[in-house]
Amino acid sequence: MVLTMTEEAPFECAMCGRCCSQRLILLNTEDVFRMADHFKIPVPQFMEKHGVVFATTGTSKTPRLYLQISGDVCPFFKDGCSIHEIKPLMCKLFPVLKPGQTAGEIKAFIKKHAHSEGVLSCKMLTLPDNLRLAVDREAMITSVIYDSMEIIYYSNLERKDMQFVRSLLKALNRDQLRAIVSDYLFNGSKESGLVFEQAMFEMQALCQIADWKKVPYLVAHEGVAMEPGKIYVLVSPEDARRIYNLSLQGEVESVISNTNPSVADPECTFISVAMNTKGDNGLMLAFPAANADLRNNSTDGHVSLCFYPADGSMDDIGAVKAYIDPNTYK
Ligand code: SF4
Ligand code: SF4
């Protein structure tokens, strides 16, 4: 086969298993669920039995799930991968981990990150440097979706409830997300990149709804109530008190809002509001609002954002003025 520089060749893995002796194999939540389902045991039992750990590596402070290999080789390696059909996405992708990579780039990566001598005998190291390798597109898309969400999830939250990540994916319309990520990765237009950014932003915001402790910015609970000129936003009790105190003291200096059509729901507008406050780093707020409600209640875009505590623990509430571009929800 003769390939030009721009064509991509499939990597024909020798199935030698030499990469199966790395110390840590990155797993995503779906990998863990899929493998536990396969062995018909509950996830916590699967994790304990097979040495799945939360760990941080290298310079990243975000813990991720890893299959920790204590012996010489992965426990699933038995004259080849014994779970080939359901093996972790990382194993499926390895060693082509990004679209458009050349063999030279991959070789450099392998040499830099090798935990074991074995992987240095990977067939990849025999390929010419300028050969461009094809990536497993389906595995790549899934991996990017899970990686993005889990990095956000594990860096912001301390919860160990992995079921949440799964339910979030369903709630966000998986097909749509896959199409967006696919377009972003493989077509790479500027526009799709922006849509991707917006999708990521929504995912990030929705992740934070799950637990509003220690979040870098506020996220309204699902569902905001409206009446003419007012949007009632449900936030954590702590945040409701903070905004109330700030607005009472006149410490909210300006409010800048940004609106985008929601990627997750075309009938919604995703609104992000930045509030400049005196004496601290300010506040960011993000929430989805139904276009029909926005049309009914805010014809010129000028609204008061009224912040209610989710547990109803306050009678007085803080409010700030904001402008939401009506072109977005017309
Ligand atoms: S799961 Fe399979 S492919 Fe992955 S490291 Fe283990 S044996 Fe190798
Ligand atoms: S070391 Fe390379 S050739 Fe061998 S199984 Fe792993 S990816 Fe395939």
Side-chain angles (χ1 to χ4, degrees), residues 181-195:
V181 175
S182 168
D183 192 33
Y184 174 74
L185 286 173
F186 301 113
N187 297 332
S189 74
K190 194 167 171 238
E191 200 175 307
S192 66
L194 290 175
V195 175

Side-chain angles (χ1 to χ4, degrees), residues 11 13-19 94-95 119 121-124:
F11 172 61
C13 170
M15 309 283 253
C16 64
R18 292 198 173 105
C19 55
F94 190 84
V119 73
S121 314
C122 176
K123 188 179 165 188
M124 177 62 70

Side-chain angles (χ1 to χ4, degrees), residues 41-55:
I41 52 175
V43 166
Q45 199 180 323
F46 171 80
M47 289 176 67
E48 196 172 333
K49 184 169 176 198
H50 295 288
V52 176
V53 292
F54 273 106

Side-chain angles (χ1 to χ4, degrees), residues 5-286:
M5 282 290 285
T6 50
E7 283 176 300
E8 293 180 339
F11 172 61
E12 284 158 16
C13 170
M15 309 283 253
C16 64
R18 292 198 173 105
C19 55
C20 303
S21 50
Q22 292 285 85
R23 280 201 312 271
L24 293 170
I25 312 277
L26 179 67
L27 302 177
N28 62 48
T29 321
E30 181 69 11
D31 290 327
V32 175
F33 275 87
R34 191 175 61 248
M35 290 158 88
D37 282 353
H38 174 80
F39 290 106
K40 297 190 171 38
I41 52 175
V43 166
Q45 199 180 323
F46 171 80
M47 289 176 67
E48 196 172 333
K49 184 169 176 198
H50 295 288
V52 176
V53 292
F54 273 106
T56 51
T57 57
T59 52
S60 170
K61 289 199 173 68
T62 303
R64 299 291 306 275
L65 287 165
Y66 291 95
L67 179 64
Q68 195 171 32
I69 295 175
S70 51
D72 291 340
V73 72
C74 171
F76 299 113
F77 187 83
K78 296 190 176 55
D79 201 16
C81 179
S82 61
I83 54 165
H84 183 66
E85 294 305 314
I86 55 123
K87 68 185 176 186
L89 275 180
M90 179 52 81
C91 301
K92 218 169 169 186
L93 284 166
F94 190 84
V96 191
L97 300 176
K98 286 182 194 164
Q101 280 189 304
T102 62
E105 288 163 350
I106 299 169
K107 285 182 204 175
F109 177 86
I110 292 178
K111 285 177 189 160
K112 187 167 173 202
H113 296 282
H115 288 160
S116 67
E117 286 291 311
V119 73
L120 297 174
S121 314
C122 176
K123 188 179 165 188
M124 177 62 70
L125 280 93
T126 65
L127 301 180
D129 281 358
N130 61 2
L131 185 66
R132 208 165 279 283
L133 276 306
V135 71
D136 179 333
R137 291 184 171 216
E138 281 305 300
M140 182 85 241
I141 292 165
T142 309
S143 154
V144 165
I145 290 174
Y146 277 98
D147 280 358
S148 315
M149 293 175 64
E150 290 182 19
I151 288 167
I152 293 160
Y153 181 68
Y154 293 131
S155 62
N156 283 326
L157 307 177
E158 288 177 352
R159 288 162 42 126
K160 301 283 187 288
D161 176 10
M162 293 182 301
Q163 181 65 32
F164 169 72
V165 177
R166 283 192 118 198
S167 58
L168 187 65
L169 267 181
K170 283 182 193 145
L172 277 171
N173 183 340
R174 197 173 179 148
D175 288 345
Q176 196 177 7
L177 262 182
R178 289 184 70 79
I180 291 163
V181 175
S182 168
D183 192 33
Y184 174 74
L185 286 173
F186 301 113
N187 297 332
S189 74
K190 194 167 171 238
E191 200 175 307
S192 66
L194 290 175
V195 175
F196 181 79
E197 293 294 317
Q198 173 67 9
M200 287 295 146
F201 179 67
E202 288 186 34
M203 285 197 284
Q204 184 169 356
L206 290 169
C207 282
Q208 292 180 355
I209 288 170
D211 188 336
W212 33 38
K213 283 178 297 181
K214 301 180 190 148
V215 295
Y217 56 77
L218 313 181
V219 179
H221 203 289
E222 272 177 288
V224 288
M226 294 188 201
E227 63 180 51
K230 286 185 180 170
I231 298 181
Y232 292 96
V233 185
L234 222 54
V235 294
S236 73
E238 202 178 81
D239 292 331
R241 256 171 235 117
R242 183 175 174 209
I243 298 170
Y244 176 70
N245 289 335
L246 287 172
S247 59
L248 208 65
Q249 292 156 18
E251 297 216 358
V252 181
E253 290 185 320
S254 62
V255 177
I256 304 149
S257 24
N258 186 17
T259 48
N260 288 297
S262 167
V263 172
D265 182 349
E267 296 304 313
C268 275
T269 293
F270 210 80
I271 299 170
S272 42
V273 181
M275 296 180 231
N276 287 341
T277 55
K278 284 182 198 157
D280 65 17
N281 296 328
L283 291 168
M284 288 282 289
L285 174 78

